[in-house]
Amino acid sequence: MSASECETLPLGAVADAATGKQDFELLAGLPDTFADDRDEIAVNVFRLYAYKGGQTSLQLLRLSTEVRRTLTVLAARESVPSPTCGDIFRKADEANLPQ
């Protein structure tokens, strides 16, 4: 997916896609190599958590719940009816938050 396509995605759809799937379903669609080292590290940590099981899997479930809640709150606070990822990225940039 290109950056421009990502910007037009509705935030609600991203929340559903990111939190409505099992961990292994999310991992199946990820690339083997990444342009950004931080992305690769984050994915590798996620893989370790997903396959470890036990208490670690419970932490992933909690994280998924918090991500969904965060995206829902962000979507509700936007002044536009159906905010997109681009809207959130622009707000983060205006607030000088890392992306």
Side-chain angles (χ1 to χ4, degrees):
M1 171 181 295
S2 70
S4 61
E5 290 173 316
C6 180
E7 283 200 7
T8 61
L9 284 173
L11 197 56
V14 173
D16 290 341
T19 60
K21 298 194 181 313
Q22 297 292 323
D23 301 334
F24 64 87
E25 291 177 299
L26 292 172
L27 291 170
L30 294 174
D32 292 331
T33 58
F34 298 87
D36 186 342
D37 289 340
R38 294 178 301 169
D39 290 343
E40 185 171 6
I41 290 168
V43 167
N44 286 335
V45 167
F46 184 80
R47 283 184 174 126
L48 288 172
Y49 271 91
Y51 294 123
K52 189 171 182 180
Q55 188 70 15
T56 307
S57 292
L58 182 58
Q59 289 174 332
L60 271 182
L61 178 62
R62 288 179 182 149
L63 178 61
S64 173
T65 302
E66 289 304 315
V67 166
R68 182 170 189 72
R69 184 176 309 157
T70 301
L71 291 174
T72 302
V73 167
L74 285 172
R77 287 185 179 174
E78 275 298 305
S79 57
V80 293
S82 181
T84 64
C85 291
D87 296 328
I88 300 304
F89 289 142
R90 281 187 286 287
K91 291 248 183 199
D93 190 44
E94 290 169 5
N96 293 320
L97 298 173
Q99 293 184 24

